[in-house]
Amino acid sequence: MHVAKAYWRRQLRRTGLLLVAWAVAGLGCSVLFVEQLNRISFGDMPFGFWMAQQGSIYVFILLIFLYALLSGRADREAILEPDAEDDAASPPTPEG
Amino acid sequence: MDIQAWTWVTVGLTFSLYLYIGYRSRVQSTKGFYVAGQGVPAIANGAATAADWMSAASFISMAGLISFMGYDGAVYLMGWTGGYVLLALLLAPFLRKFGQYTVPDFVGVRYYSRAARVVAAIAAIFVSFTYVAGQMAGVGVAFGRFLEIPFELGVGIGMVVVAFFAVLGGMKGITYTQVAQYCVLIFAYMAPAIAIALLLTGNPVPQLAMEEILPKLNAIQQDLGLSSYSNPFTGLSKLNVFAITLCLMAGTAGLPHVIVRFYTVKNVQAARWSAFWALLFIGILYTTAPALAMFAKYHILQQFAELGPAIAEESWMQNWAATGLISIPEGGIQTAEQLLEAINRDIIVLATPEIARLPAIVVALVAAGGLAAALSTASGLLLVISSALAHDIYGSVIRPEASEKQRLFIGRLMIFLAVIVAGVFGVYPLGFVAEVVAFAFGLAAASFFPVIVLGIFWKRANREGAIAGMSVGLVFTFVMIALMRAQNVIPGMEEPVIEQFLGIGAQGVGVVGMLLNFAVTTVVSLCTPDSPVSVRDMVERVRYPKE
């Protein structure tokens, strides 16, 4: 079970980080702080407006790409490491 | 050839293609019927999901809405794409690992309760019917406008085509026709957008051409006494933009016809990649739509700035005025506000190729694309209705002992009946059908999204919590929307009973329902006994991708 637990903990951390990026791009930059960001120009467009109608969508696509890539890698590692070997070989990971 | 002749050609060719694919993918098992045998490659599922997702509203109405809303239109752009991040990270891979046929399946097993499954099945049916009736009406409108055949006959043709491939092929037939429909609709959307971008700026990429148009558009809006196009919160308050965006995101992730698409792939990893492909394919249209919105607005306002009231004499104005979708006021068009008032938002995508004087074949393509978008979404929704009735209610509650053959027959029968009911709703719409965005997304956000996420990420969530949470979320959201849109929903009412709840309007109120659902599920779960060991083991297995 050790591998499964460590796998899930890493998976949760990755999901959490990607969701923070999702919230910052989609709700933060595009809605909550759009007025402030509109003072910055991006090309010929106000940056907040560009984020709301273009940038956030690109960020969303990138986030799912990263998630699929990194999770696939984590799956392969978890399958390659048998439980017993992992228990013996890996140093104890700090909790939290 | 004129526009109508070309439309017959494009519609005839694409419909023959869908029928051929539907015939080639007929199925003989319930696994094939409900989840396409779980053998769909990730990229094909991505394209099918994109077509399933992008409805007549995305294709025909969205750019027009954005055109008139300016910045505020971003609620649709972000809401209907950002939901895929939630879907990919929180739901799709785990539901695929769980691996049965429907969303109520998961709710029923995870919360070890037939009652929970039935509540979920009823919510799925209501949400899907609201959504599908609009699609069938869209088919009727597209046929009527371009081919000049009666609205009812147009809906009828759409029903026959959908019934053919859905009854024969179930999910498998639907999946592969959706792949073809995606190709048709994206080509039909991009061709005019690229042509207009080239005409206006010399740059063929609409996403880049935007940058050149926006300053000119802002300037012309200000000259005509309108507020700047890129100014935020001109029509909606910041709180409402926030709530609607979040509600559409959570609703997207909770819509059963989108979730089930992820049951059809081979394994967990394929589910993750198909979410990526789906959003990439959707993103192509969704990043083009705001460009198209700007081009259209710029074209229209520029003509008005040049011609003034004489714009009413332009041929495109005259043609659309004949269909009733542009209504020129008595005293003519004197101000920019009057001009924008006169134009129905839905015609922007359909009329822009005409305004920009593109060749007839491009206009005909747009008609075929709109039909592809409506039919693909309708078929995905009809499958959800049929599976909720045949698999979750008949197969699990009424007659659990039914044989494979009986189940398949009932599945086909239900999809056939659902097509007929959807067609009737399309021709004779009930009031609630007009509130698709509020009802479908609000209810999905307030019911499915919280209980599935908690079911996967919080083992302590139990039956009592989920039933209480779903019921509170559903009832609260339903009542709120009904009161706020009473003029459309409650017979005999002329105006809304309440305008808003804590400053949030009907389209965003699902967010409050969702928070209530999360809170009630959590509190009730903590006050009642933990779920059985077998269920907690199941959650453990769902989290870990190894078989």
Side-chain angles (χ1 to χ4, degrees), chain A residues 7 30 32 35 53-54 68 75, chain B residues 70-71 238 269 272 287 545:
Chain A
Y7 168 87
S30 307
L32 296 179
E35 289 115 328
Q53 299 213 339
Q54 294 279 300
D75 289 359
Chain B
Y71 161 87
K238 187 185 262 195
Q269 187 58 4
R272 295 185 187 125
T287 53

Side-chain angles (χ1 to χ4, degrees), chain B residues 121-140:
Chain B
I122 292 171
I125 292 168
F126 182 81
V127 166
S128 302
F129 260 125
T130 314
Y131 213 119
V132 80
Q135 305 305 317
M136 297 314 277
V139 172

Side-chain angles (χ1 to χ4, degrees), chain B residues 191-202:
Chain B
I194 291 171
I196 296 168
L198 259 177
L199 276 178
L200 274 180
T201 65

